[in-house]
Amino acid sequence: MRGSQNPRRRRGCAHAPPSKKFLMVVKLLCISIHTARTIKKEIARQLSTYCTAKEIIPQQQFGFRANSSCEVALLHALDGWMRAIDKGDMVGALLVDLSKAFDTVPHQKLIMELADIGCSMSSLAWFASYLSDRYQRVVQPPIITEWMPVTRGAPQGGGLSPRFLIPTLKIYLK
């Protein structure tokens, strides 16, 4: 799968109706995209359910958990800080943004983490296939770089990406 687009204008009259073949291809493409999104959403749901049932997601992780949010995380932190202040303790906070950290995790490490949490061989094979054969390039006219393989991180967009990386959180929370 390649990750750049270069839209081109169709030749011919701008007002000419698209051909039936073109419309059929667009319809099939839309169906394929919808099907892929549906599959990814279902896999994300199953992975989340599995991680919750096996208590893989640490209690310190508030994102991507049922009945949890940034607000719940903030309330939890404030409650802990207020208790510490009431006891006369000093309170400090270190805020770290891990959003880009996931882009650095090698695909093999992601697969190993999924194996460590007990994913089946067929699941591991699906995830490996999902991550393989991905390429990207930078298009900044007039410069267009060569295609380069993507060997780290998860494809962005959709609900699967963050949930796919949940097992790697234990690396950062240790």
Side-chain angles (χ1 to χ4, degrees):
M1 184 174 290
R2 299 199 180 247
S4 77
Q5 295 179 354
N6 190 4
R8 293 189 177 140
R9 191 170 191 197
R10 288 183 68 195
R11 292 183 183 195
C13 177
H15 302 289
S19 69
K20 287 183 181 182
K21 183 177 179 182
F22 174 78
L23 291 175
M24 186 175 72
V25 169
V26 169
K27 185 176 180 179
L28 287 173
L29 181 61
C30 289
I31 291 169
S32 297
I33 290 170
H34 178 71
T35 302
R37 284 184 185 152
T38 303
I39 290 169
K40 285 193 279 187
K41 282 182 183 179
E42 178 58 20
I43 290 169
R45 187 193 65 75
Q46 287 182 20
L47 184 58
S48 291
T49 301
Y50 179 82
C51 287
T52 300
K54 299 288 185 177
E55 298 179 351
I56 293 165
I57 305 170
Q59 290 298 319
Q60 302 91 336
Q61 169 64 33
F62 287 89
F64 315 114
R65 295 178 71 128
N67 305 315
S68 190
S69 64
C70 292
E71 292 84 1
V72 173
L74 182 58
L75 289 172
H76 180 76
L78 283 172
D79 183 56
W81 295 337
M82 296 301 289
R83 288 177 197 233
I85 290 170
D86 289 345
K87 291 192 309 188
D89 293 340
M90 290 185 66
V91 174
L94 173 64
L95 305 175
V96 180
D97 180 4
L98 294 176
S99 61
K100 294 296 179 192
F102 295 125
D103 293 341
T104 66
V105 181
H107 291 168
Q108 290 300 340
K109 180 72 172 168
L110 293 173
I111 300 300
M112 287 173 26
E113 292 297 325
L114 291 168
D116 286 349
I117 66 170
C119 286
S120 68
M121 291 303 290
S122 60
S123 295
L124 295 175
W126 187 90
F127 282 116
S129 173
Y130 178 69
L131 292 171
S132 66
D133 295 325
R134 293 188 175 269
Y135 296 84
Q136 67 183 15
R137 68 178 178 179
V138 176
V139 178
Q140 182 71 37
I143 300 168
I144 300 175
T145 64
E146 294 294 321
W147 288 104
M148 300 294 293
V150 177
T151 60
R152 295 174 178 270
Q156 300 300 305
L160 182 57
S161 299
R163 285 167 181 82
F164 181 58
L165 295 167
I166 286 172
T168 64
L169 287 172
K170 64 183 180 181
I171 299 168
Y172 298 110
L173 292 174
K174 285 183 182 178

